[in-house]
Amino acid sequence: MSDFPTKARVVIIGGGVVGASSLYHLAKKGWTDCVLLEKNELTAGSTWHAAGNVPTFSTSWAIMNMQRYSTELYARLGEEVDYPMNYHQTGSIRLAHSKERVQEFERAMAMGRYQGIPMEMWTPEEAKERYPFLETHDLEGVLYDPTDGDIDPAQLTQALAKGARDMGQKIIRFCPATGVTQHDDGTWTVHTDKGDIACDYVVNAAGYYAQRVGEWFKPFGGRTVPAMVMSHQYLLTDEIPEIEAWTKQSGAKLPLLRDVDVSYYLRQEKNGFNLGPYEPNCKGHWMTEDDPMPDDFSFQLWNDDLDRIEDIVTDAMERVPLMATSGVGRVINGPIPYAPDGLPLIGPMPGVKNAFEAHTFTFGIAQGGGAGKVLAEWVVDGATEWDMWAVDPRRYTDYTDQDYCNQKGMEVYGNEYAMHFPHHEWPAARDKKLSPVHDKVIAHGGVMGAYSGWERANWFAQPGDDTSLDATHTWGRSGPWEQRIKEECEAVRDHCGVLDLPGFSRFKIQGPGADEWLRGLVAGALPKIGRVGLVYFADDRGRILTEMSVTREAEDLFVLVTAATAQWHDREWLVRHIPADAEFTLEDWTTRMSTLIVTGPRSRDILSKVTEADLTLPWLSFQESEIKGGWVALLRVSFAGELGWEVHAENADMPAIYDAIIDAGAKPFGMYALNSLRIEKGYRAWKGDLSTDYSLLEGGLERFVKLDKPQDFPGKAAILNEKQQGVKKSFVTLTVDAGDCDAPYMSCIWHGDEIVGETTSGAWGYRVGKSIALGMIRAELANPGTELEVEIYGQKCRAVVELDQPLWDPENERLRA
């Protein structure tokens, strides 16, 4: 092939809607020498049989941003690239059968309003007026989204492809990629049946084949892609005269209907219906040796399996009786990839330099436009406009074996429209990573939650407490856990609590030059020998990349500790910045050690019974000692805001240490109590209060920034400029006159009739007896005493901006005691 490209800046593997969108958006950013490879025809994977729905609804801020962008792009794309497209923004209605579902809708509507999506809540009667074929007698409410609709997936993909080609990009169809080779300088060669292509970056956009493509990257630091494949069916009815008549009379299609409590969507398709269920008795494919994934499944489907969806079809006919007047014209049963949380993987490929991922889309048509934007930003700019941790491939670590992926994929599919209540823990694929004292925690009554695969106690139940999943189906703070959380917080306040906290991400950095290297990365100063400090890392825009605690054990020996979920994200950031000639080393000790939090006014007395350590050393000090014959590192810090220590020890020694501390009088407490305790101190949580949506200065972290140091740390220039210009947003602590529910992440903050900010976390503070929200608001409103309102599940609640200090122990006297 004389026109076969042998060089490219980026090679994208996969020609579905996401691959085409990525190619298009790379061109829009000026990278017009890129190549897309497709082994068959464009759309041959999940794209060709997709239903083509384009919702904006989500309770994830990042996903809603991405889907909103898609709707905006699709509305102009046909004209922009001069390609005819069938895109119908029919609007949609979501049916609520319960008060809890109405609350979920109210939350999503507020988020949509903030992003400029004009959603509305309707009464069932109002829905009936706009959808006359609908039965509404048992409904609590209806959410209407005027931007929702449907698009032809093939036309969308071809439009994106045409736009990319017109800007100089190349698309090679019927050209299977067969492997990749990375060179010493980090560049790649992508091998194909038609020849090799040299490139700077590779993107795995291979859809449900992404796991197989991902295996090519293992020799260069990759891992098995966490994904599985589900069988998804939807059926098309024959034409219905009443729909044809209504369409002619109204001049529009029926709104897309979703009965989320039954779990299906129902859409007008020409003059019939398209019914798409997400059935609990679902089926995965290509999960066993007797059902292997074929080398090529292009434009293929599985046989119908209508028995699986019979109950849902019956329910849909009762909801819209008109549907029962028509026969089934066709059934589509095709493969859809699922990640363990049902969200796609977009961003840097974990462990592999100059490689990216954009795959495993459950709702690829709705998210495809936004996905291309996000992917192009990752590749070209090294960062995204919006914080996209929700879809970052590094959110998963080494616990996602295939059994985990299969179980979670089935669970997510069978609960596609389920409400994600704040105290609910999904039961599938648990116990993947266990603390050394897991059985002991369970014996004390621990009700467990999964944190990046690690099992931790959320709260401790007493005999007779209801620990069922049904009890957690509420947005409110009250439940069987409430009294126990209160008691746990009071034990930490008045006596001493112990929290088993496995899974801290832990990096040991040792050797000549380690101190100077770290100074060049962190925004602030490093602690002195024998001390502990909190440091922040910024990206080049001065935005909050991550937070770590640093213990300096010797001149050139540092231990960095960060959140469990941040392990691969933070390790990659550190490793990427180590110079080739470095004399120091970095070791990941995450799974080698575990941690206990021992905190409360009696914690010194408790620890003095089990160790000979000098417990008079001041706050933020470090020392080594022994408990029950096992080596321990004692750090005098406390995320709970009381006198306390972190006890770090080898896994094998931790059971005896835990028993000794319990026997000395400490009361076990859980993660829910810790969250309440930390929010009373205004302590930030990563990827909630601390994200790349905010700069270090906006986040109120200026005291951790040292602009006068000589090192040119990442983001320094941006922070200097922002300091001169002034921040647009400011971090605040709010006390809220909340009702039964505390503010969830991304609740709207109002000033009069205007949205002026958002909450980043919220909880009840049991020591101060108030509902507390941390948030970001317009800088000019961040004055103590300013009265605002926080919208919590549809209810506007009075809120007051508090002083820029902790609500509990503002002078830190208890911490320093």
Side-chain angles (χ1 to χ4, degrees), residues 113 736-739 748-755 788-799:
R113 186 188 296 117
V736 187
D737 294 344
C748 291
I749 301 175
W750 293 79
H751 185 240
D753 295 327
E754 196 173 7
I755 297 174
L788 303 167
E789 289 180 300
V790 175
E791 186 174 355
I792 302 176
Y793 302 112
Q795 299 297 314
K796 288 185 180 179
C797 304
R798 177 180 174 272

PDB file of all heavy atoms in Angstrom, residues 113 736-739 748-755 788-799:
ATOM      1  N   ARG A 113     -28.704  21.432  36.570  1.00  0.00           N
ATOM      2  CA  ARG A 113     -28.938  22.872  36.543  1.00  0.00           C
ATOM      3  C   ARG A 113     -27.607  23.625  36.621  1.00  0.00           C
ATOM      4  O   ARG A 113     -27.397  24.619  35.909  1.00  0.00           O
ATOM      5  CB  ARG A 113     -29.845  23.263  37.715  1.00  0.00           C
ATOM      6  CG  ARG A 113     -30.267  24.723  37.701  1.00  0.00           C
ATOM      7  CD  ARG A 113     -30.988  25.087  38.978  1.00  0.00           C
ATOM      8  NE  ARG A 113     -32.245  24.359  39.162  1.00  0.00           N
ATOM      9  CZ  ARG A 113     -32.475  23.509  40.158  1.00  0.00           C
ATOM     10  NH1 ARG A 113     -31.551  23.272  41.065  1.00  0.00           N
ATOM     11  NH2 ARG A 113     -33.636  22.904  40.266  1.00  0.00           N
ATOM     12  N   VAL A 736     -24.870  23.693  58.367  1.00  0.00           N
ATOM     13  CA  VAL A 736     -26.080  23.620  57.563  1.00  0.00           C
ATOM     14  C   VAL A 736     -27.258  23.228  58.446  1.00  0.00           C
ATOM     15  O   VAL A 736     -27.167  22.298  59.245  1.00  0.00           O
ATOM     16  CB  VAL A 736     -25.912  22.587  56.421  1.00  0.00           C
ATOM     17  CG1 VAL A 736     -27.109  22.634  55.477  1.00  0.00           C
ATOM     18  CG2 VAL A 736     -24.619  22.827  55.649  1.00  0.00           C
ATOM     19  N   ASP A 737     -28.356  23.951  58.283  1.00  0.00           N
ATOM     20  CA  ASP A 737     -29.601  23.562  58.958  1.00  0.00           C
ATOM     21  C   ASP A 737     -30.257  22.450  58.153  1.00  0.00           C
ATOM     22  O   ASP A 737     -31.314  22.615  57.530  1.00  0.00           O
ATOM     23  CB  ASP A 737     -30.546  24.764  59.073  1.00  0.00           C
ATOM     24  CG  ASP A 737     -30.000  25.851  59.986  1.00  0.00           C
ATOM     25  OD1 ASP A 737     -29.066  25.565  60.761  1.00  0.00           O
ATOM     26  OD2 ASP A 737     -30.496  26.984  59.910  1.00  0.00           O
ATOM     27  N   ALA A 738     -29.598  21.303  58.150  1.00  0.00           N
ATOM     28  CA  ALA A 738     -30.052  20.190  57.328  1.00  0.00           C
ATOM     29  C   ALA A 738     -31.199  19.459  58.006  1.00  0.00           C
ATOM     30  O   ALA A 738     -31.369  19.516  59.228  1.00  0.00           O
ATOM     31  CB  ALA A 738     -28.899  19.228  57.072  1.00  0.00           C
ATOM     32  N   GLY A 739     -31.974  18.754  57.191  1.00  0.00           N
ATOM     33  CA  GLY A 739     -33.028  17.914  57.735  1.00  0.00           C
ATOM     34  C   GLY A 739     -32.491  16.537  58.049  1.00  0.00           C
ATOM     35  O   GLY A 739     -31.541  16.383  58.813  1.00  0.00           O
ATOM     36  N   CYS A 748     -25.553  21.794  45.172  1.00  0.00           N
ATOM     37  CA  CYS A 748     -25.482  23.205  44.795  1.00  0.00           C
ATOM     38  C   CYS A 748     -25.529  24.100  46.033  1.00  0.00           C
ATOM     39  O   CYS A 748     -26.316  23.864  46.955  1.00  0.00           O
ATOM     40  CB  CYS A 748     -26.638  23.569  43.879  1.00  0.00           C
ATOM     41  SG  CYS A 748     -26.546  22.809  42.251  1.00  0.00           S
ATOM     42  N   ILE A 749     -24.702  25.131  46.020  1.00  0.00           N
ATOM     43  CA  ILE A 749     -24.735  26.171  47.047  1.00  0.00           C
ATOM     44  C   ILE A 749     -25.326  27.423  46.416  1.00  0.00           C
ATOM     45  O   ILE A 749     -24.855  27.888  45.373  1.00  0.00           O
ATOM     46  CB  ILE A 749     -23.330  26.454  47.613  1.00  0.00           C
ATOM     47  CG1 ILE A 749     -22.736  25.179  48.235  1.00  0.00           C
ATOM     48  CG2 ILE A 749     -23.381  27.572  48.651  1.00  0.00           C
ATOM     49  CD1 ILE A 749     -21.299  25.341  48.713  1.00  0.00           C
ATOM     50  N   TRP A 750     -26.374  27.942  47.051  1.00  0.00           N
ATOM     51  CA  TRP A 750     -27.124  29.079  46.511  1.00  0.00           C
ATOM     52  C   TRP A 750     -26.880  30.333  47.341  1.00  0.00           C
ATOM     53  O   TRP A 750     -26.718  30.274  48.553  1.00  0.00           O
ATOM     54  CB  TRP A 750     -28.622  28.780  46.540  1.00  0.00           C
ATOM     55  CG  TRP A 750     -29.077  27.697  45.618  1.00  0.00           C
ATOM     56  CD1 TRP A 750     -28.981  26.351  45.816  1.00  0.00           C
ATOM     57  CD2 TRP A 750     -29.713  27.865  44.339  1.00  0.00           C
ATOM     58  NE1 TRP A 750     -29.517  25.670  44.753  1.00  0.00           N
ATOM     59  CE2 TRP A 750     -29.988  26.572  43.836  1.00  0.00           C
ATOM     60  CE3 TRP A 750     -30.096  28.978  43.598  1.00  0.00           C
ATOM     61  CZ2 TRP A 750     -30.610  26.374  42.607  1.00  0.00           C
ATOM     62  CZ3 TRP A 750     -30.726  28.781  42.370  1.00  0.00           C
ATOM     63  CH2 TRP A 750     -30.972  27.484  41.890  1.00  0.00           C
ATOM     64  N   HIS A 751     -26.890  31.476  46.645  1.00  0.00           N
ATOM     65  CA  HIS A 751     -26.942  32.790  47.279  1.00  0.00           C
ATOM     66  C   HIS A 751     -28.087  33.531  46.605  1.00  0.00           C
ATOM     67  O   HIS A 751     -27.976  33.954  45.451  1.00  0.00           O
ATOM     68  CB  HIS A 751     -25.626  33.547  47.100  1.00  0.00           C
ATOM     69  CG  HIS A 751     -25.586  34.858  47.828  1.00  0.00           C
ATOM     70  ND1 HIS A 751     -25.414  36.062  47.197  1.00  0.00           N
ATOM     71  CD2 HIS A 751     -25.693  35.146  49.145  1.00  0.00           C
ATOM     72  CE1 HIS A 751     -25.428  37.043  48.085  1.00  0.00           C
ATOM     73  NE2 HIS A 751     -25.583  36.499  49.284  1.00  0.00           N
ATOM     74  N   GLY A 752     -29.207  33.618  47.320  1.00  0.00           N
ATOM     75  CA  GLY A 752     -30.407  34.145  46.679  1.00  0.00           C
ATOM     76  C   GLY A 752     -30.878  33.189  45.608  1.00  0.00           C
ATOM     77  O   GLY A 752     -31.050  31.991  45.852  1.00  0.00           O
ATOM     78  N   ASP A 753     -31.058  33.700  44.391  1.00  0.00           N
ATOM     79  CA  ASP A 753     -31.536  32.876  43.282  1.00  0.00           C
ATOM     80  C   ASP A 753     -30.405  32.399  42.373  1.00  0.00           C
ATOM     81  O   ASP A 753     -30.645  31.989  41.234  1.00  0.00           O
ATOM     82  CB  ASP A 753     -32.547  33.673  42.442  1.00  0.00           C
ATOM     83  CG  ASP A 753     -33.799  34.001  43.225  1.00  0.00           C
ATOM     84  OD1 ASP A 753     -34.190  33.191  44.084  1.00  0.00           O
ATOM     85  OD2 ASP A 753     -34.379  35.080  42.978  1.00  0.00           O
ATOM     86  N   GLU A 754     -29.185  32.443  42.860  1.00  0.00           N
ATOM     87  CA  GLU A 754     -28.034  32.138  42.021  1.00  0.00           C
ATOM     88  C   GLU A 754     -27.195  31.035  42.652  1.00  0.00           C
ATOM     89  O   GLU A 754     -26.948  31.027  43.858  1.00  0.00           O
ATOM     90  CB  GLU A 754     -27.184  33.407  41.876  1.00  0.00           C
ATOM     91  CG  GLU A 754     -26.184  33.355  40.754  1.00  0.00           C
ATOM     92  CD  GLU A 754     -25.489  34.700  40.547  1.00  0.00           C
ATOM     93  OE1 GLU A 754     -25.702  35.626  41.363  1.00  0.00           O
ATOM     94  OE2 GLU A 754     -24.735  34.816  39.574  1.00  0.00           O
ATOM     95  N   ILE A 755     -26.767  30.067  41.817  1.00  0.00           N
ATOM     96  CA  ILE A 755     -25.829  29.036  42.285  1.00  0.00           C
ATOM     97  C   ILE A 755     -24.433  29.650  42.315  1.00  0.00           C
ATOM     98  O   ILE A 755     -23.951  30.176  41.314  1.00  0.00           O
ATOM     99  CB  ILE A 755     -25.848  27.807  41.361  1.00  0.00           C
ATOM    100  CG1 ILE A 755     -27.236  27.152  41.370  1.00  0.00           C
ATOM    101  CG2 ILE A 755     -24.794  26.785  41.799  1.00  0.00           C
ATOM    102  CD1 ILE A 755     -27.389  26.009  40.388  1.00  0.00           C
ATOM    103  N   LEU A 788     -25.972  31.434  53.235  1.00  0.00           N
ATOM    104  CA  LEU A 788     -26.189  30.813  51.938  1.00  0.00           C
ATOM    105  C   LEU A 788     -27.246  29.719  52.093  1.00  0.00           C
ATOM    106  O   LEU A 788     -27.817  29.558  53.173  1.00  0.00           O
ATOM    107  CB  LEU A 788     -24.870  30.215  51.415  1.00  0.00           C
ATOM    108  CG  LEU A 788     -23.680  31.165  51.288  1.00  0.00           C
ATOM    109  CD1 LEU A 788     -22.394  30.384  51.083  1.00  0.00           C
ATOM    110  CD2 LEU A 788     -23.896  32.134  50.135  1.00  0.00           C
ATOM    111  N   GLU A 789     -27.481  28.966  51.035  1.00  0.00           N
ATOM    112  CA  GLU A 789     -28.336  27.790  51.112  1.00  0.00           C
ATOM    113  C   GLU A 789     -27.659  26.627  50.394  1.00  0.00           C
ATOM    114  O   GLU A 789     -27.032  26.816  49.347  1.00  0.00           O
ATOM    115  CB  GLU A 789     -29.693  28.055  50.477  1.00  0.00           C
ATOM    116  CG  GLU A 789     -30.586  28.999  51.265  1.00  0.00           C
ATOM    117  CD  GLU A 789     -31.920  29.225  50.566  1.00  0.00           C
ATOM    118  OE1 GLU A 789     -31.890  29.720  49.426  1.00  0.00           O
ATOM    119  OE2 GLU A 789     -32.951  28.894  51.169  1.00  0.00           O
ATOM    120  N   VAL A 790     -27.776  25.455  50.971  1.00  0.00           N
ATOM    121  CA  VAL A 790     -27.268  24.239  50.341  1.00  0.00           C
ATOM    122  C   VAL A 790     -28.469  23.403  49.920  1.00  0.00           C
ATOM    123  O   VAL A 790     -29.363  23.134  50.732  1.00  0.00           O
ATOM    124  CB  VAL A 790     -26.364  23.445  51.307  1.00  0.00           C
ATOM    125  CG1 VAL A 790     -25.954  22.121  50.671  1.00  0.00           C
ATOM    126  CG2 VAL A 790     -25.123  24.259  51.672  1.00  0.00           C
ATOM    127  N   GLU A 791     -28.486  23.000  48.654  1.00  0.00           N
ATOM    128  CA  GLU A 791     -29.597  22.202  48.142  1.00  0.00           C
ATOM    129  C   GLU A 791     -29.301  20.724  48.362  1.00  0.00           C
ATOM    130  O   GLU A 791     -28.378  20.169  47.750  1.00  0.00           O
ATOM    131  CB  GLU A 791     -29.815  22.486  46.651  1.00  0.00           C
ATOM    132  CG  GLU A 791     -31.037  21.794  46.094  1.00  0.00           C
ATOM    133  CD  GLU A 791     -31.334  22.203  44.658  1.00  0.00           C
ATOM    134  OE1 GLU A 791     -30.645  23.096  44.126  1.00  0.00           O
ATOM    135  OE2 GLU A 791     -32.260  21.619  44.069  1.00  0.00           O
ATOM    136  N   ILE A 792     -30.073  20.084  49.235  1.00  0.00           N
ATOM    137  CA  ILE A 792     -29.842  18.687  49.607  1.00  0.00           C
ATOM    138  C   ILE A 792     -31.044  17.861  49.158  1.00  0.00           C
ATOM    139  O   ILE A 792     -32.128  17.980  49.730  1.00  0.00           O
ATOM    140  CB  ILE A 792     -29.622  18.549  51.123  1.00  0.00           C
ATOM    141  CG1 ILE A 792     -28.431  19.417  51.574  1.00  0.00           C
ATOM    142  CG2 ILE A 792     -29.398  17.094  51.503  1.00  0.00           C
ATOM    143  CD1 ILE A 792     -28.200  19.409  53.074  1.00  0.00           C
ATOM    144  N   TYR A 793     -30.872  17.074  48.105  1.00  0.00           N
ATOM    145  CA  TYR A 793     -31.943  16.235  47.566  1.00  0.00           C
ATOM    146  C   TYR A 793     -33.232  17.030  47.350  1.00  0.00           C
ATOM    147  O   TYR A 793     -34.320  16.624  47.718  1.00  0.00           O
ATOM    148  CB  TYR A 793     -32.201  15.034  48.475  1.00  0.00           C
ATOM    149  CG  TYR A 793     -30.983  14.167  48.675  1.00  0.00           C
ATOM    150  CD1 TYR A 793     -30.363  14.085  49.918  1.00  0.00           C
ATOM    151  CD2 TYR A 793     -30.453  13.441  47.620  1.00  0.00           C
ATOM    152  CE1 TYR A 793     -29.234  13.298  50.092  1.00  0.00           C
ATOM    153  CE2 TYR A 793     -29.326  12.651  47.794  1.00  0.00           C
ATOM    154  CZ  TYR A 793     -28.720  12.584  49.031  1.00  0.00           C
ATOM    155  OH  TYR A 793     -27.590  11.805  49.204  1.00  0.00           O
ATOM    156  N   GLY A 794     -33.072  18.210  46.759  1.00  0.00           N
ATOM    157  CA  GLY A 794     -34.223  19.023  46.397  1.00  0.00           C
ATOM    158  C   GLY A 794     -34.657  20.027  47.444  1.00  0.00           C
ATOM    159  O   GLY A 794     -35.509  20.871  47.162  1.00  0.00           O
ATOM    160  N   GLN A 795     -34.097  19.970  48.648  1.00  0.00           N
ATOM    161  CA  GLN A 795     -34.469  20.891  49.718  1.00  0.00           C
ATOM    162  C   GLN A 795     -33.358  21.921  49.930  1.00  0.00           C
ATOM    163  O   GLN A 795     -32.199  21.552  50.132  1.00  0.00           O
ATOM    164  CB  GLN A 795     -34.708  20.129  51.023  1.00  0.00           C
ATOM    165  CG  GLN A 795     -35.825  19.106  50.939  1.00  0.00           C
ATOM    166  CD  GLN A 795     -37.172  19.738  50.659  1.00  0.00           C
ATOM    167  OE1 GLN A 795     -37.539  20.736  51.282  1.00  0.00           O
ATOM    168  NE2 GLN A 795     -37.919  19.152  49.733  1.00  0.00           N
ATOM    169  N   LYS A 796     -33.718  23.193  49.860  1.00  0.00           N
ATOM    170  CA  LYS A 796     -32.737  24.238  50.139  1.00  0.00           C
ATOM    171  C   LYS A 796     -32.661  24.463  51.649  1.00  0.00           C
ATOM    172  O   LYS A 796     -33.677  24.763  52.291  1.00  0.00           O
ATOM    173  CB  LYS A 796     -33.103  25.543  49.430  1.00  0.00           C
ATOM    174  CG  LYS A 796     -32.904  25.492  47.928  1.00  0.00           C
ATOM    175  CD  LYS A 796     -33.175  26.857  47.301  1.00  0.00           C
ATOM    176  CE  LYS A 796     -32.969  26.826  45.806  1.00  0.00           C
ATOM    177  NZ  LYS A 796     -33.242  28.148  45.183  1.00  0.00           N
ATOM    178  N   CYS A 797     -31.472  24.297  52.200  1.00  0.00           N
ATOM    179  CA  CYS A 797     -31.255  24.383  53.646  1.00  0.00           C
ATOM    180  C   CYS A 797     -30.328  25.556  53.955  1.00  0.00           C
ATOM    181  O   CYS A 797     -29.283  25.721  53.308  1.00  0.00           O
ATOM    182  CB  CYS A 797     -30.633  23.086  54.165  1.00  0.00           C
ATOM    183  SG  CYS A 797     -31.587  21.601  53.782  1.00  0.00           S
ATOM    184  N   ARG A 798     -30.710  26.353  54.947  1.00  0.00           N
ATOM    185  CA  ARG A 798     -29.897  27.493  55.343  1.00  0.00           C
ATOM    186  C   ARG A 798     -28.499  27.024  55.767  1.00  0.00           C
ATOM    187  O   ARG A 798     -28.345  26.008  56.444  1.00  0.00           O
ATOM    188  CB  ARG A 798     -30.563  28.234  56.508  1.00  0.00           C
ATOM    189  CG  ARG A 798     -29.761  29.407  57.053  1.00  0.00           C
ATOM    190  CD  ARG A 798     -30.502  30.076  58.205  1.00  0.00           C
ATOM    191  NE  ARG A 798     -29.699  31.105  58.842  1.00  0.00           N
ATOM    192  CZ  ARG A 798     -28.851  30.880  59.848  1.00  0.00           C
ATOM    193  NH1 ARG A 798     -28.709  29.647  60.321  1.00  0.00           N
ATOM    194  NH2 ARG A 798     -28.166  31.871  60.378  1.00  0.00           N
ATOM    195  N   ALA A 799     -27.496  27.782  55.340  1.00  0.00           N
ATOM    196  CA  ALA A 799     -26.105  27.459  55.679  1.00  0.00           C
ATOM    197  C   ALA A 799     -25.358  28.744  56.000  1.00  0.00           C
ATOM    198  O   ALA A 799     -25.690  29.820  55.483  1.00  0.00           O
ATOM    199  CB  ALA A 799     -25.424  26.731  54.525  1.00  0.00           C
TER     200      ALA A 799
END
